[in-house]
Amino acid sequence: MTTTLVIDGANVVGARPDGWWKDRAGAAARLHAQLMVADVPQDRVVLVLEGAAKGGVRAGRDAHVTTVHAKGNGDDTIVAEAKKAAERGDRVSVVTADRILMGRVEHHGAMVLSPSWLLDHL
């Protein structure tokens, strides 16, 4: 069974008080670079970016990491990506600390992991 990790980029970046708010695109680029070499147990990694963070990483696939630019609300895009993976038959995990988003992705069968879980793997 294929496993997919969907990442709430804004939530993960916001979990580190490293000045990300001064350069959202740069923070997204750093997260993407870390994901490219991270040792996560999932087969596929989907990084969802919204707002100014989209300027840091182009949309598309780089090896095992696919970057998706949210057209509107990032949460809606995260739910759509989790649902799409679940409908494919993947075992899906979503990284977020957003309680409302947690309920929405759990509704589609996704397991929720905390941003600290991901940061420990970077």
Side-chain angles (χ1 to χ4, degrees):
M1 173 180 283
T2 300
T3 56
T4 297
L5 183 66
V6 181
I7 300 169
D8 179 348
N11 203 261
V12 172
V13 166
R16 291 189 280 200
D18 63 358
W20 60 265
W21 53 90
K22 297 175 190 169
D23 180 12
R24 293 172 193 262
R30 287 188 299 278
L31 175 58
H32 181 267
Q34 290 173 316
L35 290 169
M36 292 296 294
V37 297
D39 185 21
V40 295
Q42 290 80 6
D43 303 309
R44 292 185 182 130
V45 175
V46 178
L47 173 62
V48 177
L49 299 176
E50 62 185 329
K54 295 187 293 188
V57 184
R58 68 173 177 75
R61 186 172 177 160
D62 294 309
H64 67 288
V65 178
T66 300
T67 302
V68 177
H69 287 176
K71 288 185 173 63
N73 182 307
D75 289 2
D76 291 344
T77 304
I78 292 162
V79 171
E81 290 295 323
K83 180 180 178 189
K84 182 170 58 174
E87 288 173 348
R88 250 191 338 256
D90 294 4
R91 185 175 327 137
V92 183
S93 300
V94 174
V95 177
T96 189
D98 181 315
R99 293 193 186 277
I100 294 172
L101 180 57
M102 287 178 188
R104 292 179 66 194
V105 298
E106 286 172 340
H107 175 76
H108 294 290
M111 181 174 80
V112 175
L113 300 169
S114 70
S116 62
W117 175 89
L118 180 61
L119 293 172
D120 287 347
H121 284 82
L122 299 181

